[in-house]
Amino acid sequence: MAGNTEIDEGFYSRQLYVLGHEAMRRMGTASVLIAGMKGLGVEIAKNVILSGVKSVTVQDGDPAVWSDLSSQFYLGESHLGQNRATCSLQQLSSLNPHVRVSAHTRPLDEDLLLQFQIVVLTDSPLDDQKRFGQLCHSQGIKLIVVDTKGLCGQLFCDFGEKFEVLERDGEMPASLMIERITKENPGRVIWTDDQKHGLSNGCKVIFSDVQGMTELNSIGPVEIKVCDQYSFSICDTSSFSEYQRGGVVTEVKQPFQLHFKPLSEALHDRELLILNDYGKVSRHHTLHLAFQALHEFVKTKQRLPHSWCQADADCLLKMVRELNTEAKVEQLDEAAVQLLSCTARGDLAPINAFFGGLAAQEVIKACSRKFTPLQQWMYFDALECLPEDEDRRLAECSVTSTGTWYDGQTAVFGSSFQKKLGEQKYFLVGAGAIGCELLKNFALMGLGAGEGGHITVTDMDYIERSNLNRQFLFRSHDIGKPKSEVAAKAVCQMNPQMKITSHQNRLDADSEALYDYSFFKGLDGVAAALDNVEARVYLDGRCVLHQKPMLEGGTLGSKGHTLVVVPHLTESYGPAKSSSSNAIPLCTLKNFPHRIEHTLQWARDQFEGLFKQTPENVNLFLSDPMFVERTLSHGDVEALETLGAVWTGLQDTDAGGQRPKSWEDCVRWARCKWETLYNNEIRQLLHCFPSDESTHIAYVMAAANLYGQTYGIKGTRDVGSIKQIVEKVQTPSFTPKSSVKIHLTDKEMEEDKQKESGDAEKAQLEELKGKLPSLKNSAQMHSIDFEKDDDSNFHMDFIVAASNLRAENYDIPAADRHQSKRIAGRIIPAIATTTAAVAGLMCLELYKLVQGHKKMESYRTGFLNLAVQNFVLSQPSRPQDFQVAGKKYTLWDDFLVEGRRSDQQEMTLEDMLRYIKEKYSLTVSGLFYGPAVLYLGQEERLKKSVSDVVKMVTKKDIPPHQKMLELIPSFEEDEDCETVPPIRYLLP
């Protein structure tokens, strides 16, 4: 934005749903200084530039060295000996055309700092932190100090004496439909929603559209006290009018102020430590002292401790003990201090990615005043990434390298581990935001970059402009190209040793011929960078089937999660969880909407029904001889609706149908549709539930154009010509009917749907069945797939107009196009900071997988919310076990059978059952392949080969690529067991 008030909504699309327009306008006035362009500094700079501040200046006075290359993704061998800031400038500048980026190569001084609103110090001496911290505090400059050493890191914030936070957490204000308000002191508000309100004591709310007790509509925000999850108390309502009905209560977000201490004072205040280390309180306090001691160590010896040098570790520990004589930490974590010393020379991409995301989010908070800043210190470590066997750590990790791409990593893990990393074969599914960050980390870590190593990445999507704000490997000239292909090329430029193959395939049953048994067996692991639950569940199932570990992560705005799946140790991702509790009841959508989400979902359903489902049904009718018969089997009510829409869609207007012959017919149809939806149906509703609309030209224009597209008729955006047609349209008269039933609940709606249709409906169906055959030779229609990001296709025009017209009918506040696009398009809010942090945590788990960690306590699942600096790291869940014939099994267990006998012939079914009996002491009484019954005692099948039995029962050939059959047995020894391990039969 570079100071402009205009926001490029196409570029910042997904981030706007996290921060909002006002916060981003404030960001567009901020100038940021980031000192230090090693791996951590460039991570912060990348995220801040993508976020859209006014300007970023990167400062560094030092040349690039070998150890930088393991985490500084804009430096290569050709940059060694050159200034880090200068070498990074071109790449950083290309990230966001709206942000001015410059480099400063001289040392930091007070005159420089005074030019900025936000200053970020990385890899800086403690004396500089104190000196510049005092200056920033006194001058109102927001200061962020961040540092990483090996597997440990620290973050500090000072936003001044008084810092106003305008919005605490970015959550949508709660909005609830009122059922009843009591007239007493205090009054009690009860609402109709079945969902929990999420409000807490002290929250403030406003009332609107309350009938009867109208005094509430005009008073300011009211403080509440929660009674239970479905009610709260408010002010004294005993003197108010009697409550009659209706009304909406909406949460009002309140600003608040925070006070920060300067670094020199905060350094000695343990109350300012944020504890996020799953119970290890002493670890945070110890690291706070250890980082101070480390600064003193460097100041004294003019170097960092040598990697895995016991003498240096003992020296640092002594210094920490001396500091603790004043700090008085009750229980020092001395092992953590020694490991910090042993690994302090390390410069690791995953740790820098994590802290780079956190620190950049604090920059955003500083200049936008949105979200709650860190107060004031935070420490994090991933020391559990080191070898589990403490006796082998020194031998494995102390053999480091110099003068190689990975010096910053071998300083922590040693050269032999680096070789193992290079030999890995990994499958990355998804090359979007998280996928780009993972690929960058893989390149810096050297995953798959050695002899025999390889990365396969697949993503079916192509680059769009809205991706550029957070998928940092892409540029504007890449728009329209495959994501996986561009991302693979970009990281090969970061690390020329990388070996990557890019695919453009969706991972599902249709791609199993490519991603088959042999493909998965050749992998060391899988990383999931997917944006939907269904794809995650499918990939998880493939990993369980082939016994492969999986890294999984996801984001939602400022929130993120990570999961590591380890065969035979942890639970898997598991089946999709039902989200029906969040579904909007159909009766609410159809008859009683009370939130804009309801009208937008209704508008989306209208779009799908009018412009997608009906054309698809028409085309099925024209091409599938069994369509009518199959539709009739769904029941008379549904069949009448579907077949009626097919007939009207094919029959010309002059014969009673709705098939247009011209653009004018499309406009007439849209005008009449408006009359039906926004006049007739509302009048019918008011007739059944007693209590002047004007034509909305935007609706008519969008609806007419879309309707024309389904028939191949070209439309127009000429409002004047559309109005001329509309003025000539004769709309049928309408009188509400007392016989029409308005459903109050989904249960009522479903019960009526299941009722036997009356004689009139049956007669209509018979009439339709007689008329439809004459239309078999009609031209097919064009089905329209909803696309939210093309502003020229009328899709969002229709959704916005249809939703806001319905909202007007129900006195619901309208939503602008931006908000409507998020809700109707089901857009996932996204921001680069969360993505970077999540990818960093995922790659820390990768270190453990590659080493083959066996202990559950070594692994971490993570949940983070950068809006409020909340982190929950915990051990993964163990897989649930079940018993078969007294023996315990888990989802990771199976009965593996090699289908080739010693004579090279395929096993018969009898051979396989005998093998199970001899090896596992279990007698198979039944055998199932999907829904098909392979064996329930049929002796005639026993002499057939297993594959022949499968083909006979399923009446299908086994696909050539399928190398394994998953068969579900039942056993005589435990007939009642509901869960049993599958038999995995390898085809010969």
Side-chain angles (χ1 to χ4, degrees), residues 395-416:
E396 291 182 5
C397 300
S398 60
V399 182
T400 62
S401 62
T402 57
T404 75
W405 198 284
Y406 310 108
D407 282 2
Q409 191 162 257
T410 60
V412 175
F413 295 105
S415 300
S416 60

Side-chain angles (χ1 to χ4, degrees), residues 894-964:
D894 60 17
F895 303 120
L896 188 65
V897 179
E898 293 277 357
R900 192 182 301 277
R901 300 185 308 197
S902 57
D903 61 0
Q904 301 301 304
Q905 298 297 310
E906 185 186 351
M907 274 186 173
T908 63
L909 183 59
E910 186 177 41
D911 292 335
M912 188 182 73
L913 302 188
R914 186 185 306 114
Y915 177 84
I916 296 295
K917 177 67 175 177
E918 292 173 355
K919 185 171 180 64
Y920 300 103
S921 301
L922 292 169
T923 306
V924 177
S925 57
L927 198 61
F928 305 87
Y929 179 62
V933 179
L934 296 187
Y935 175 73
L936 280 177
Q938 300 97 322
E939 291 188 8
E940 67 275 11
R941 297 181 181 179
L942 291 174
K943 299 301 181 182
K944 295 180 181 293
S945 71
V946 174
S947 59
D948 283 343
V949 174
V950 170
K951 287 186 279 189
M952 178 186 71
V953 172
T954 62
K955 297 183 174 61
K956 294 179 182 178
D957 288 332
I958 299 171
H961 67 269
Q962 192 166 342
K963 305 299 182 186
M964 178 192 293

Side-chain angles (χ1 to χ4, degrees), residues 760-835:
E761 286 83 0
K762 289 184 181 297
Q764 283 181 281
L765 267 178
E766 289 301 318
E767 182 183 0
L768 275 172
K769 286 164 63 179
K771 293 192 296 186
L772 281 170
S774 65
L775 301 173
K776 271 289 187 180
N777 294 324
S778 303
Q780 289 203 339
M781 294 178 66
H782 304 284
S783 172
I784 301 175
D785 291 317
F786 178 69
E787 171 49 57
K788 60 188 176 295
D789 287 322
D790 182 353
D791 288 337
S792 67
N793 62 12
F794 292 101
H795 297 193
M796 279 309 304
D797 300 81
F798 176 86
I799 296 290
V800 174
S803 171
N804 285 340
L805 278 167
R806 189 164 177 82
E808 185 178 333
N809 282 149
Y810 287 89
D811 292 325
I812 298 169
D816 62 21
R817 187 184 184 91
H818 185 71
Q819 183 185 3
S820 298
K821 183 185 287 190
R822 177 184 66 81
I823 298 170
R826 302 179 186 119
I827 290 174
I828 300 173
I831 190 168
T833 51
T834 316
T835 303

Side-chain angles (χ1 to χ4, degrees), residues 541-542 544-547 891 893-895 927-932 934 950 962-969 980-987:
R542 300 290 286 168
V544 171
L545 175 65
H546 298 293
Q547 310 274 295
L891 83 157
D893 293 310
D894 60 17
F895 303 120
L927 198 61
F928 305 87
Y929 179 62
L934 296 187
V950 170
Q962 192 166 342
K963 305 299 182 186
M964 178 192 293
L965 300 175
E966 189 167 67
L967 312 175
I968 306 301
V980 296
I983 295 174
R984 293 196 168 118
Y985 178 81
L986 298 179
L987 291 163

